[in-house]
Amino acid sequence: MKIGIMGGTFDPIHLGHLATAEAVRENFSLDEILFIPAARPPHKLGKKVSDEKHRLAMTILATQSNKFFRVSDMELKRTGLSYTLDTMNELQKNFGASAELFFIIGADSLADLNKWHAAKELVEKCHFIATTRPGADANFSAVKKFFGEAATKHIHRVTTPGLEISSTDIREKIRLGRSIKYLVPEAVEEYILREKIYDC
Ligand code: ATP
Ligand code: MG
């Protein structure tokens, strides 16, 4: 089994996440992609994040039409901060030692990877698939300088569709009463408007 892990706040999940995950799945012949909404992302502690029940519901709605996509609430159920190392260890235990796990990471997050909890241990133990993202410049030589050989062995780079979409931008559009059509799946758009998640 080869499994892709797509972690994120998903506040809300959008077509940038989905198109990236699908491209990675095909490119690396992965058996499935597991979307894992983060409970308390350490890098977003000062920021307001929407209720986890909404973020989980939107992630389920967004992924249900793809038979290769699944959603896990494992980070939401765990108490404390969401550390990727804990998640990867738990998944390896659940899937068994022969499963290959690939954590999908966008260029903007890759630039911060050195600041993640137990970053060096994480890159030594796990595979990463570094994707492209418009507006984010992945400085791979800086990544290599910090992580050394482990980066060459464990961080795989791939070019993914350049969709210039971000959750921040979507939240802002809703606040301004602007359209978010074609930025999120229709079912997610309906959910956001019905539940008034981002209204002031
Ligand atoms: P926010 O603006 O709230 O930070 P976001 O759009 O960056 O939201 P996250 O949930 O923070 O979404 O991102 C989760 C993962 O998805 C990260 O690895 C991020 O780099 C990646 N990602 C998000 N949007 C895109 C996109 N448009 N194209 C490629 N990767 C993306
Ligand atoms: Mg982000």
Side-chain angles (χ1 to χ4, degrees):
M1 282 282 272
K2 285 167 80 177
I3 297 151
I5 317 298
M6 187 84 194
T9 320
F10 303 138
D11 191 18
I13 189 162
H14 54 68
L15 296 192
H17 298 124
L18 297 163
T20 300
E22 182 68 351
V24 167
R25 183 188 70 74
E26 265 198 339
N27 246 286
F28 289 80
S29 306
L30 304 182
D31 294 292
E32 65 177 41
I33 305 276
L34 201 52
F35 286 76
I36 309 185
R40 299 187 62 206
H43 61 288
K44 287 186 180 170
L45 278 184
K47 296 182 184 155
K48 192 174 162 277
V49 175
S50 302
D51 192 318
E52 56 189 50
K53 81 165 190 260
H54 289 316
R55 294 185 293 112
L56 179 65
M58 291 189 285
T59 308
I60 292 170
L61 285 172
T63 51
Q64 64 191 2
S65 66
N66 188 325
K67 65 176 179 182
F68 300 106
F69 287 0
R70 279 204 305 135
V71 180
S72 166
D73 62 355
M74 61 187 285
E75 289 197 355
L76 300 179
K77 279 202 206 132
R78 206 191 296 146
T79 50
L81 299 174
S82 299
Y83 290 130
T84 301
L85 184 63
D86 298 338
T87 302
M88 297 303 262
N89 284 337
E90 198 176 328
L91 287 172
Q92 196 74 64
K93 219 162 56 191
N94 295 348
F95 282 106
S98 63
E100 283 185 89
L101 306 179
F102 297 85
F103 190 90
I104 302 164
I105 184 168
D108 57 317
S109 307
L110 182 70
D112 290 336
L113 184 58
N114 59 335
K115 295 183 212 121
W116 287 22
H117 168 70
K120 283 196 168 148
E121 185 185 348
L122 189 61
V123 174
E124 263 150 39
K125 279 175 92 169
C126 307
H127 286 278
F128 281 80
I129 296 176
T131 66
T132 48
R133 181 173 188 183
D137 192 18
N139 181 350
F140 205 74
S141 55
V143 172
K144 242 176 106 172
K145 198 167 160 203
F146 185 84
F147 291 103
E149 263 309 287
T152 319
K153 277 205 314 229
H154 283 171
I155 304 180
H156 316 276
R157 285 181 290 171
V158 64
T159 304
T160 42
L163 296 184
E164 203 169 348
I165 305 174
S166 75
S167 303
T168 301
D169 201 37
I170 291 169
R171 294 192 299 272
E172 183 63 12
K173 278 190 157 64
I174 295 168
R175 261 180 233 117
L176 297 172
R178 289 176 52 194
S179 167
I180 57 162
K181 246 186 206 321
Y182 316 121
L183 300 178
V184 297
E186 227 167 280
V188 173
E189 183 196 0
E190 281 165 17
Y191 185 92
I192 290 172
L193 300 178
R194 188 172 66 240
E195 299 290 330
K196 303 186 178 9
I197 305 177
Y198 303 110
D199 295 7
C200 295

